[in-house]
Amino acid sequence: MPRTKAPELTRAALLDAASRVLRTRGATLSLDAVAQAAGVSKGGLLHHYPSKEQLLQALAYALIEEFHTRLQAAHAHEIALHGDAPGAWLRAYIELSFVQDDEIEALTAALAPLATLPDLLRGLQEAQRFLIDETEADGLPPGRAHAIRLACDGLWAGRNSGLPDLNHAQRTALKEELQSWTRP
């Protein structure tokens, strides 16, 4: 990777390289492997991310940001199709939750050990606070809104933690039921 005066581009390229290495090696990735995949020296990598933990933390935050961006686009699409009625945000959340993205799921599973670091976990929880705020602002009764979001989260977490997954018919039935809960 040639030297650039745009450090944000360099950091993005380093995160992309870390993502590729993480998908193949899991959380055991080394900074040497990431530097090699990015085409920079280890010192160049350490200039932007002084430790493996900081690199993985930045990758986790990038995944949260990417999901939030995808969710905002799905919400805008839902509004364009059906208007901004109560439940529109949750319908978008349901849609994204039922899309299986093996690449994102592999990355997220590989980053799971970061959850054992209390300071980092607090930061990740705060970065995802929008989930609670936007759930509550969606116009449905709060208990129902949180039940929908948590059911989606449980589906996703189950797939990524080795719990038995639902078959196609079961997933379809669950999705339809959750969507029906978003209609006032």
Side-chain angles (χ1 to χ4, degrees):
M1 164 187 297
R3 183 173 270 215
T4 176
K5 291 190 183 219
E8 64 279 352
L9 294 176
T10 302
R11 284 190 291 275
L14 291 168
L15 291 179
D16 181 60
S19 171
R20 290 191 316 269
V21 172
L22 196 57
R23 283 192 307 271
T24 58
R25 296 189 184 185
T28 62
L29 88 154
S30 69
L31 293 178
D32 289 322
V34 173
Q36 182 179 8
V40 300
S41 67
K42 186 174 178 182
L45 170 63
L46 291 171
H47 173 75
H48 293 281
Y49 298 106
S51 69
K52 178 179 170 180
E53 289 75 22
Q54 288 178 331
L55 175 65
L56 292 175
Q57 177 181 1
L59 186 55
Y61 281 110
L63 285 171
I64 292 168
E65 186 176 321
E66 178 184 336
F67 177 76
H68 195 195
T69 299
R70 290 175 52 209
L71 182 56
Q72 289 170 322
H75 184 213
H77 181 72
E78 175 66 27
I79 290 171
L81 291 177
H82 305 290
D84 195 14
W89 185 86
L90 281 162
R91 283 188 294 281
Y93 195 79
I94 292 166
E95 283 301 318
L96 283 184
S97 297
F98 280 79
V99 171
Q100 205 160 345
D101 185 331
D102 293 336
E103 184 173 310
I104 295 293
E105 290 179 12
L107 280 174
T108 307
L111 290 169
L114 293 177
T116 63
L117 306 172
D119 290 339
L120 177 58
L121 184 58
R122 279 190 293 281
L124 293 173
Q125 288 171 335
E126 188 55 38
Q128 296 178 86
R129 178 74 193 175
F130 69 90
L131 295 172
I132 292 174
D133 296 341
E134 292 179 25
T135 296
E136 289 185 352
D138 201 26
L140 297 177
R144 184 186 326 159
H146 288 298
I148 293 166
R149 185 188 65 82
L150 290 170
C152 290
D153 292 353
L155 174 74
W156 180 87
R159 276 195 317 253
N160 289 295
S161 64
L163 292 174
D165 200 4
L166 300 176
N167 65 35
H168 179 73
Q170 293 165 328
R171 290 171 69 81
T172 300
L174 176 60
K175 183 177 179 181
E176 289 172 1
E177 185 66 23
L178 292 174
Q179 287 173 330
S180 76
W181 292 1
T182 66
R183 313 270 185 233

